[in-house]
Amino acid sequence: MGRLKPELTNRVAAARIDAGLTQEQLAEAADVSRQTIVAIERGDYSPSTVLALRLAHVLGGSVEGLFSLTNGAATELARRRQRLASSRGGR
Amino acid sequence: MHAPLWWDRLVEVYRRSNDERMRAIQVSAAKDAFLGLSAALMLSLVVAPALPEQWQRIGFVALPLFVLAVGSIVYLVSYRLRGGGYEPSIANTKIAVTAVAFAIGFLLFIVFLAVSGQRISPVQLAGQLLGAALAIVVIAFVLRRGR
């Protein structure tokens, strides 16, 4: 099941309030249940790519603007990318 | 002919209630229920042949019900623990449909009793009604808590 990993953060609630929408209205527009919107805003559920795109369209932003990795996770991934790049360069 | 607006609204809410998150929860709960059902079935297969002669008839009725009850309870518990829930209008409709189904079942029971010529004491009838009412209360409680 798509449980949100702790390294993922989202600003769906803030974007929804900025857009002047209720959870029910956002749910209706994104074609999901209100409980799913609640779970996403709480960080209990990680939406599929399609749903993330749908939410971004409805809220008038980008997926990256709504969902992002925490600093710790982003730093770790950058470190791995550097390691991969250096190992490729060493060949 | 057009369906009434409340019906269209209900269908829409029901469709949205089965979104990707709910489907994932339902699949996981169904897998848990399958395990529970299998365990209950194995237990029944062990217990059934060991029942005394006079209990065989009761066992024939009770054991399948036991298996079904275990499967249903495991499903509901798993569904709730995984964050599954119902929209209020869906919960109320499910409660209403369940109550109507119970009422129809009870009417059929009375009709079959009358047709077969068998009699049932007022105490037994009250017990049947109480059991049905209790089942509806439990289902309503679970569905309302599931909102």
Side-chain angles (χ1 to χ4, degrees), chain A residues 3 35, chain B residues 21-22 25-26 76 78-86 145-147:
Chain A
R3 280 265 159 188
Q35 286 101 329
Chain B
R21 175 172 163 270
M22 289 302 180
I25 291 173
Q26 284 161 6
L76 273 174
S78 174
Y79 183 74
R80 290 295 300 132
L81 287 179
R82 291 172 188 278
Y86 297 106
R145 292 283 297 170
R147 285 180 184 179

Side-chain angles (χ1 to χ4, degrees), chain A residues 18-80:
Chain A
D18 286 348
L21 295 174
T22 63
Q23 289 176 330
E24 179 63 36
Q25 286 169 328
L26 178 58
E28 203 168 332
D31 208 22
V32 290
S33 65
R34 191 183 55 81
Q35 286 101 329
T36 294
I37 297 297
V38 172
I40 291 170
E41 288 186 357
R42 276 193 199 152
D44 288 339
Y45 177 67
S46 171
S48 69
T49 312
V50 173
L51 180 52
L53 282 164
R54 249 192 265 154
L55 288 171
H57 270 284
V58 171
L59 295 171
S62 64
V63 173
E64 289 91 339
L66 287 181
F67 300 94
S68 55
L69 293 169
T70 57
N71 286 339
T75 311
E76 172 60 25
L77 286 171
R79 201 179 300 140
R80 287 184 194 178

Side-chain angles (χ1 to χ4, degrees), chain B residues 2 11 14 20 31 36-37 39 42 47 51 65 67 69 84 92 98 110 116 125 140 142:
Chain B
H2 287 286
V11 170
Y14 189 78
E20 59 175 45
K31 285 176 183 172
L37 209 75
M42 292 303 286
V47 168
L51 283 175
L65 285 177
V67 172
N92 291 338
T98 308
I110 300 290
S116 67
L125 192 66
V142 170

Side-chain angles (χ1 to χ4, degrees), chain B residues 50-64:
Chain B
L51 283 175
E53 189 78 16
Q54 67 272 25
W55 284 23
Q56 294 283 333
R57 277 168 68 97
I58 296 171
F60 188 69
V61 174
L63 288 174

